[in-house]
Amino acid sequence: MKELLNRDFRIWAYTVSHSFLIIRSPMIYKDVDGHESAPYNIDIEFSAVEYLDIPKSLSGISINEIKDRIPKKFSKYTSSSGLKIYEIKSNAKIYYILAGGYRIGKNEWELEDRISNMELEYDEILASSI
């Protein structure tokens, strides 16, 4: 399980053609609304996304790959399909993403258009399921 409880996230980009999803917690500058600064972005990339059930904004999240107690609606997906079922928890609610894998990266990019190439290189990889 990976927990990122002290950050707010939102859907940042999704491409249908590549089935690629980015959920980002953007940089926070100390002078914005008096928040404590967070001088880096955290991106969660999901690849080969087959199913997506999350709201556009999430406050503090944990990601857990589930292998047992699989919800009935996902019973047709097996490990042989190459997809993994990820349970996303935020504010005591549970959401799901079916994908081939994910990675979490930390960066200091200020230009949002960097995500357009979908081959992101990060300053640091915080976690990966691949």
Side-chain angles (χ1 to χ4, degrees):
M1 177 184 299
K2 182 63 180 171
E3 294 183 334
L4 300 162
L5 301 176
N6 61 343
R7 300 283 298 250
D8 292 330
F9 291 83
R10 63 182 187 242
I11 294 176
W12 206 259
Y14 177 75
T15 62
V16 174
S17 61
H18 291 91
S19 300
F20 187 81
L21 170 69
I22 297 175
I23 301 170
R24 176 174 283 177
S25 177
M27 286 186 206
I28 300 170
Y29 300 97
K30 194 170 190 166
D31 60 347
V32 176
D33 297 327
H35 287 97
E36 191 173 320
S37 70
Y40 53 87
N41 301 309
I42 296 177
D43 287 352
I44 306 170
E45 297 179 4
F46 286 92
S47 58
V49 175
E50 180 71 22
Y51 179 90
L52 176 62
D53 172 26
I54 61 171
K56 69 177 183 174
S57 298
L58 299 158
S59 182
I61 64 173
S62 66
I63 303 169
N64 186 36
E65 180 183 348
I66 57 174
K67 296 179 181 180
D68 55 357
R69 64 177 176 76
I70 295 172
K72 188 176 180 178
K73 65 182 171 182
F74 303 126
S75 62
K76 70 178 182 177
Y77 298 99
T78 64
S79 58
S80 64
S81 69
L83 296 174
K84 298 172 185 171
I85 302 170
Y86 296 102
E87 184 178 76
I88 312 297
K89 291 183 182 179
S90 174
N91 291 329
K93 293 185 180 175
I94 298 174
Y95 307 98
Y96 296 97
I97 296 175
L98 269 67
Y102 76 88
R103 73 178 180 159
I104 302 172
K106 182 177 169 180
N107 65 68
E108 295 179 8
W109 305 328
E110 292 185 18
L111 297 175
E112 295 178 16
D113 63 350
R114 271 187 75 120
I115 62 171
S116 63
N117 66 15
M118 299 300 167
E119 294 179 18
L120 304 176
E121 294 184 20
Y122 291 99
D123 301 332
E124 179 181 350
I125 298 295
L126 302 176
S128 177
S129 72
I130 301 171

